[in-house]
Amino acid sequence: MTDLTQGSLRRHVWTMALPMMVGMFVQSLYLFVDLYFVSDLGAEAIAAVSAASNLTMLIMALTQMLNVGCVALIARYTGAREHQNANIVFQQAMLMGLALALLTLVLGFGLSGLYIQLLTADPVVHQQAQQFLQAYLPGLALMFVSTAIAAALRAVGVVKPTMQVQLITVLLNIVLAPVLIAGWGTGYPLGVFGAGLASSISVTVGVLLLWGYFLKSDHSVLQVPKQWRFDGKVWRQITAIGVPAGGEFALMFIFTAFVYWVIQDFGTATQAAFGIGNRILQAIMMPAMAISFALPAIVGQNFGAGQSLRVRQSFRIGMQQMAWVMGLLFILSQLMAHSLMALFSDDPLVLAEGELFMRIISLNCLSVVLVFSCSGVFQGLGNTWPSLASSFLRVFVFILPVLWLSGRSDFSPAMVWYCSAASVLLQGLCSCYLVRWQMRSKLTGLQAVA
């Protein structure tokens, strides 16, 4: 592999990752703005929105299934210059998105009350979480449609327009948050209901803008279908690749819901601290996620074209870039944990619990380098079951020790956080082993030229 090839691949990774990173930076800015105005409503509101927002992880499990299956298949067909098959996958992804959106609305409004009841014993938190979900569910449902369009474009290398649309919607959400939550300019604060409503309005605008762009633009590969026909074979192909990746987010949903359940006896302040700290760390980890999201299309196209060395080099470069970024963010988290928490709460107990959480869980900044880079390669190779296996291992080795520790008289939140950090490290090491095994299996016999 020549230096020129390595440089070319590195630029390719950053060309796709940078627009995503910008979009995710703005997304993290929205998370902070939203959290800031919700925090003014008190610890109960923070706990309510944080607990209810965990439902997003379940929706992301399904959107990730659609996203990964769509990207892997379209990227592979694009690399092999089978454009007709790529268009068929796009058509079926759109139909799947619409079906899942309808399912989300039906089940969400029907079962959200039971879900919230499992996570909190505080009646005030329960009531506010219900209010938030009533306004937030339509936006969650529409995420399936936007995912189908964005995934298809990303699979053929079109990234900037989707990031521009995301930028617009996030900025709109930032503007709407103080208006709807705190009543800026209207005098009618809607509280947590306004937080959910701002998100739903922004997602709706984003879907309309993204579809409008798709209709007016020439993508060379993707075309708007003349007839929308159900194809069960393609649905099975998308789910076969996407279900394991979606399963990872489903496990994250279970993981986070379990944390809310196991810490509820420590009080609302601890749940609020977990909600704030978790959102801050999600924002901090977004740069690594952006690089991870760029890898499937690059790996998939090179895999489809039979370029084995480029697949391996893409994996190494992606991991290197993530390591630099997350190393710096880990240092930031350790040095500024108290200051970051203080931006969103002045409650001494919330601050103390949140600072402890951030200092321990930020250790994951180093472990996720392995997790995210391996996940991107699994998706690009079209086999995400190994990634699901490592995620299952993480949840398993976290829940069992925490359940045992919860029976001790000295049980504390710090024990939960340390078990979480250790489980992510184990997941990363397992993923690294499995991705090397997968590359040996998938890339044997392909071209060994750049």
Side-chain angles (χ1 to χ4, degrees), residues 124-139:
V124 176
V125 174
H126 183 278
Q127 180 184 18
Q128 295 196 18
Q130 279 282 76
Q131 293 174 359
F132 173 76
L133 279 180
Q134 287 175 0
Y136 190 41
L137 277 170

Side-chain angles (χ1 to χ4, degrees), residues 156-328:
V156 297
V158 180
V159 179
K160 290 183 180 180
T162 58
M163 291 302 103
Q164 290 169 350
V165 169
Q166 183 187 27
L167 176 63
I168 293 172
T169 57
V170 171
L171 290 175
L172 176 61
N173 212 335
I174 291 173
V175 172
L176 290 175
V179 174
L180 296 178
I181 296 173
W184 284 17
T186 66
Y188 295 97
L190 299 179
V192 294
F193 183 87
L197 184 60
S199 296
S200 290
I201 293 173
S202 301
V203 172
T204 302
V205 171
V207 170
L208 294 175
L209 290 175
L210 202 56
W211 185 243
Y213 166 79
F214 189 92
L215 292 176
K216 294 180 180 180
S217 303
D218 179 14
H219 319 293
S220 300
V221 177
L222 300 175
Q223 303 295 330
V224 178
K226 295 181 180 180
Q227 293 182 326
W228 297 84
R229 296 179 179 176
F230 169 76
D231 189 330
K233 179 182 178 181
V234 178
W235 281 45
R236 288 191 295 272
Q237 290 176 328
I238 293 174
T239 53
I241 296 174
V243 162
E248 291 186 68
F249 278 90
L251 288 172
M252 291 173 65
F253 165 75
I254 295 172
F255 179 93
T256 308
F258 173 78
V259 172
Y260 274 110
W261 174 78
V262 81
I263 67 173
Q264 62 179 314
D265 291 339
F266 293 121
T268 301
T270 300
Q271 286 194 319
F274 173 64
I276 295 173
N278 204 34
R279 283 206 174 192
I280 292 174
L281 288 175
Q282 284 176 0
I284 286 174
M285 292 183 183
M286 281 184 177
M289 291 180 66
I291 299 174
S292 174
F293 289 164
L295 282 178
I298 297 172
V299 170
Q301 289 176 12
N302 284 301
F303 180 54
Q307 300 290 344
S308 64
L309 288 183
R310 282 181 174 268
V311 172
R312 297 178 187 277
Q313 190 66 23
S314 297
F315 170 56
R316 288 194 292 270
I317 289 173
M319 186 181 295
Q320 290 168 4
Q321 305 310 312
M322 283 189 214
W324 278 106
V325 173
M326 296 312 296
L328 293 174

Side-chain angles (χ1 to χ4, degrees), residues 252-431:
M252 291 173 65
F253 165 75
I254 295 172
F255 179 93
T256 308
F258 173 78
V259 172
Y260 274 110
W261 174 78
V262 81
I263 67 173
Q264 62 179 314
D265 291 339
F266 293 121
T268 301
T270 300
Q271 286 194 319
F274 173 64
I276 295 173
N278 204 34
R279 283 206 174 192
I280 292 174
L281 288 175
Q282 284 176 0
I284 286 174
M285 292 183 183
M286 281 184 177
M289 291 180 66
I291 299 174
S292 174
F293 289 164
L295 282 178
I298 297 172
V299 170
Q301 289 176 12
N302 284 301
F303 180 54
Q307 300 290 344
S308 64
L309 288 183
R310 282 181 174 268
V311 172
R312 297 178 187 277
Q313 190 66 23
S314 297
F315 170 56
R316 288 194 292 270
I317 289 173
M319 186 181 295
Q320 290 168 4
Q321 305 310 312
M322 283 189 214
W324 278 106
V325 173
M326 296 312 296
L328 293 174
L329 292 175
F330 166 71
I331 295 172
L332 175 68
S333 300
Q334 291 293 313
L335 295 178
M336 300 186 62
H338 180 82
S339 299
L340 290 172
M341 287 295 303
L343 292 173
F344 307 106
S345 178
D346 56 4
D347 186 314
L349 185 55
V350 172
L351 284 174
E353 293 285 351
E355 183 178 354
L356 175 66
F357 168 81
M358 284 197 61
R359 291 191 185 280
I360 298 173
I361 299 297
S362 62
L363 295 170
N364 290 344
C365 288
L366 307 177
S367 302
V368 297
V369 172
L370 296 176
V371 175
F372 287 166
S373 56
C374 292
S375 178
V377 174
F378 286 133
Q379 293 172 31
L381 294 178
N383 182 12
T384 51
W385 287 103
S387 189
L388 177 61
S390 64
S391 295
F392 180 81
L393 176 65
R394 175 207 175 181
V395 173
F396 182 77
V397 300
F398 168 73
I399 289 180
L400 286 186
V402 170
L403 283 176
W404 177 75
L405 289 169
S406 65
R408 295 175 44 146
S409 59
D410 60 344
F411 181 56
S412 67
M415 295 180 180
V416 180
W417 313 146
Y418 277 118
C419 285
S420 176
S423 69
V424 177
L425 176 59
L426 183 60
Q427 178 190 8
L429 295 175
C430 179
S431 293

